[in-house]
Amino acid sequence: MNILHIDSSISGEASSSRKITAAVVRHLIARHPGAEVIYRDLAADALPHLTLADLADHALVDEFLAADTVVIGAPMYNFTVPTHLKAWLDRLAIAGRTFQYGANGPSGLAGGRKVIVASTRGGFYGPDSPIASYELQDRYLATFFGFIGITDITFLHAEGLALGPEQRDRALKGALEAAERLAV
Ligand SMILES: Cc1cc2nc3c(=O)[nH]c(=O)nc-3n(C[C@H](O)[C@H](O)[C@H](O)COP(=O)(O)O)c2cc1C
């Protein structure tokens, strides 16, 4: 099994999404001894904004397509994903590699792999929240990966992380336990 492990939080050791992705990868390795892991820290080694030349360089899309399971740390920054993560996603949407347009519109070419997202947030954006419509983080990731043909996407949530230590600990514990229960 090939695992691609992506982190994008700027918060280093204090990051909850980094703790959750690490737990997911530990769990995957326990379930699949001998799994190969490639790690990419998009905060420490940030990609620049996309250029036309980048669209001709397929190194990152090759790395992505070589993975059976992709584990992504995706904190909410200003209602959506960090620009660090967006810069990486911009390099995966390559016509002819991950999607194509045909007579019936677009179709995804990157199906057959699993994506697991550690989705962390300071507040609450569930369906009952008055600001549910501000949630452009999971919605964006589900839309993006759906567009390139990936339907097997799992979100592990830790919400309300900015609302005091009790809520933070409870949310993080819940997500770490969910990582242990993943059927992978
Ligand atoms: C630059 C920045 C922007 C943020 N924007 C939001 C936001 O729009 N909504 C929210 O609920 N939390 C927001 N937060 C809080 C983070 O989502 C929260 O701290 C979460 O724990 C980040 O994940 P991490 O612990 O892996 O860094 C923001 C944090 C930072 C640093």
Side-chain angles (χ1 to χ4, degrees):
M1 178 195 246
N2 290 331
I3 300 167
L4 179 58
H5 177 182
I6 303 287
D7 277 324
S8 64
S9 166
I10 60 173
S11 298
E13 299 267 297
S15 158
S16 297
S17 61
R18 286 173 184 269
K19 293 184 177 80
I20 301 164
T21 59
V24 171
V25 171
R26 275 197 306 274
H27 176 72
L28 287 169
I29 292 170
R31 290 282 189 101
H32 303 274
E36 301 271 340
V37 183
I38 291 181
Y39 180 61
R40 216 166 246 291
D41 186 334
L42 297 173
D45 292 309
L47 297 163
H49 285 305
L50 188 69
T51 65
L52 269 184
D54 293 322
L55 293 176
D57 174 355
H58 291 182
L60 289 172
V61 78
D62 288 344
E63 180 180 86
F64 172 76
L65 291 173
D68 306 297
T69 301
V70 184
V71 181
I72 302 173
M76 179 185 277
Y77 288 173
N78 302 310
F79 313 114
T80 185
V81 298
T83 52
H84 308 71
L85 184 55
K86 176 69 164 57
W88 178 71
L89 294 169
D90 284 342
R91 288 160 170 88
L92 303 186
I94 306 286
R97 297 298 309 280
T98 52
F99 72 94
Q100 65 188 358
Y101 277 95
N104 299 319
S107 59
L109 301 174
R113 52 190 49 74
K114 183 187 275 293
V115 172
I116 301 167
V117 178
S119 167
T120 52
R121 306 150 178 186
F124 286 100
Y125 297 82
D128 298 333
S129 159
I131 54 168
S133 66
Y134 294 19
E135 196 288 299
L136 302 170
Q137 171 197 22
D138 293 2
R139 216 142 53 92
Y140 171 64
L141 291 169
T143 302
F144 179 89
F145 286 113
F147 177 75
I148 64 169
I150 295 178
T151 48
D152 188 349
I153 176 163
T154 303
F155 289 92
L156 302 180
H157 288 113
E159 288 202 291
L161 293 168
L163 303 177
E166 268 178 36
Q167 169 56 28
R168 188 191 61 225
D169 293 350
R170 188 165 51 235
L172 182 57
K173 186 166 177 274
L176 293 172
E177 286 170 359
E180 295 299 320
R181 287 195 306 271
L182 280 173
V184 285

